[in-house]
Amino acid sequence: MNLDNRQFESLVLDSNRYLHKSIGSSSLSAIHAKTVLVAGGGGFIGGHLVGSLLKSGHEVRCVDIKPMGEWYQTFDRAENVSADLQDYYNCEAACQDVSTVYNLAADMGGMGFIENNKALCMLSVLINTHLLMASKKTSVDKFFFASSACVYNADKQESPDVIPLKESDAYPAMPEDGYGWEKLFSERMCRHFEEDFGIQTRVARFHNVYGPNGTWHGGREKAPAAICRKVLEAIESGSNEIEIWGDGNQTRSFTYISDCLYGIERLMESNFSNPINLGSSELTTINGLVDIVEEIAGVKLKREYNLSAPKGVNGRNSDNELIQRTLDWAPSIALKEGMRKTFDWIKQEFTLQNSKAQMV
Ligand code: NAD
């Protein structure tokens, strides 16, 4: 759509009105220049990020498409907005008076979701593209994009005996269909917005982030949360059985949320603008992950392997040489320690959900 300046300004006004309408009484004009925007702040990583940015003294605007009642965490001190960031004009309103954008918004989930919803995953390209365009228009200084290990070439992930993935292994490109292509394309969009328009962009390739306050049921959950829930269900029902997707020998590394947040902070403080792995290098199999959860829960379950369920690549790990060299740091929280905290939180939620169901 080609617009002259007057048409454009009036559409922006309309978009502000639209956003205002969707946010009720929140006032965008009250925000000063230090404000940072967290797109997808109603989600798992975005919610934790809002909390940590508030703690370090930032003014935070938090935007998510979900109704606020469905956000994993809400903070009264943030400006909380429910709006669709696939819409350019909502992005422009969200970026007003913002110095830094953190884009954590995407239509995503675990393998069960991304293997069956490729078009939806690819449509997240609109969020990142429109946020970058809006950032250019509103003179945002810095832009963070949450990429994924799903950008890596599938040929390098065929065996469970993995060679950890280096950043250069994303090319030649053959990423995860749908979700991974969107991430790879959006990474490059960030790169060219920095080169051509001077917005400083930072791109982290997350490797399986897990922790409390995230999706644990409903079809979008990832392996760590799904396994915690299945173990709790097996105990609750007395079935003492657990279904595992694939043969359980797939290898992965899992990154605890606080490592992820600290990595984002260090990356944003750095001058490094190429994509960088942000993931633990502690490799385990899915069977190994089940062993850990069983030990935490104090049970031993019979394992049923569903070989036709989505299981992703056979093996994947993070090569942390670049992050160590560039940020002088790499994720280090042990899987057992992170899973204990995650299990405890899911157990609380599970118990709460069951007691609500009994009251109905
Ligand atoms: P999440 O699903 O909990 O959070 C994403 C949030 O984006 C959701 O709350 C969702 O409602 C919101 N969103 C989706 N479409 C939107 C739209 N059109 N407008 C506004 N908000 C919208 O997922 P997460 O685990 O917190 O992931 C955050 C980011 O990190 C995503 O970009 C994801 O692809 C990336 N990532 C996550 C992992 C992981 O293991 N969790 C791994 C790799 C990459």
Side-chain angles (χ1 to χ4, degrees), residues 88 91 95 101 103 125-140 142-145 185-194 197 199-201:
Y88 171 74
C91 288
C95 288
V101 171
N103 178 16
V125 76
L126 294 174
I127 304 174
N128 197 61
T129 305
H130 288 155
L131 277 173
L132 278 168
M133 288 167 64
S135 297
K136 174 176 176 276
K137 165 85 180 164
T138 60
S139 305
V140 163
K142 246 185 195 178
F143 188 101
F144 173 84
F145 174 60
F185 176 87
S186 291
E187 285 188 356
R188 287 196 88 87
M189 186 78 102
C190 289
R191 169 174 161 177
H192 297 305
F193 265 69
E194 169 151 326
F197 305 128
I199 300 173
Q200 297 180 57
T201 59

Side-chain angles (χ1 to χ4, degrees), residues 106-326:
D107 210 349
M108 61 89 67
M111 285 319 297
F113 181 80
I114 66 177
E115 285 197 4
N116 293 306
N117 295 279
K118 292 179 184 144
L120 281 185
C121 289
M122 290 206 83
L123 281 170
S124 295
V125 76
L126 294 174
I127 304 174
N128 197 61
T129 305
H130 288 155
L131 277 173
L132 278 168
M133 288 167 64
S135 297
K136 174 176 176 276
K137 165 85 180 164
T138 60
S139 305
V140 163
D141 298 323
K142 246 185 195 178
F143 188 101
F144 173 84
F145 174 60
S147 186
S148 163
C150 288
V151 299
Y152 284 113
N153 190 313
D155 291 347
K156 305 231 169 190
Q157 304 172 77
E158 282 175 353
S159 164
D161 294 326
V162 288
I163 299 174
L165 292 158
K166 281 191 193 348
E167 285 74 0
S168 54
D169 290 331
Y171 296 97
M174 189 44 71
E176 174 79 37
D177 203 3
Y179 179 74
W181 277 108
E182 188 279 317
K183 292 292 187 194
L184 198 62
F185 176 87
S186 291
E187 285 188 356
R188 287 196 88 87
M189 186 78 102
C190 289
R191 169 174 161 177
H192 297 305
F193 265 69
E194 169 151 326
E195 287 169 357
D196 296 357
F197 305 128
I199 300 173
Q200 297 180 57
T201 59
R202 302 287 177 267
V203 176
R205 291 180 181 157
F206 295 159
H207 289 245
N208 289 312
V209 186
Y210 70 99
N213 295 103
T215 312
W216 60 278
H217 65 121
R220 288 183 187 241
E221 61 279 16
K222 298 185 139 209
I227 291 169
C228 290
R229 191 203 67 238
K230 287 178 182 181
V231 166
L232 288 162
E233 284 169 350
I235 297 169
E236 166 87 11
S237 67
S239 73
N240 287 323
E241 268 185 21
I242 182 166
E243 184 193 64
I244 294 170
W245 287 7
D247 61 10
N249 295 320
Q250 317 90 292
T251 47
R252 291 290 185 280
S253 69
F254 298 95
T255 313
Y256 191 61
I257 182 68
S258 51
D259 267 342
C260 175
L261 296 177
Y262 188 62
I264 295 173
E265 188 188 323
R266 285 190 84 109
L267 181 61
M268 290 301 272
E269 284 166 358
S270 80
N271 291 323
F272 194 77
S273 57
N274 288 329
I276 194 163
N277 280 334
L278 179 38
S280 164
S281 57
E282 181 185 344
L283 193 69
T284 184
T285 59
I286 295 298
N287 278 326
L289 188 60
V290 177
D291 292 341
I292 289 175
V293 180
E294 283 180 339
E295 190 188 320
I296 294 168
V299 285
K300 204 75 200 146
L301 303 172
K302 182 167 177 280
R303 299 180 187 189
E304 294 291 337
Y305 293 97
N306 181 350
L307 300 181
S308 53
K311 68 175 185 69
V313 294
N314 289 328
R316 176 184 288 160
N317 196 4
S318 177
D319 182 315
N320 284 349
E321 193 271 330
L322 181 64
I323 192 168
Q324 188 64 60
R325 181 160 42 87
T326 311

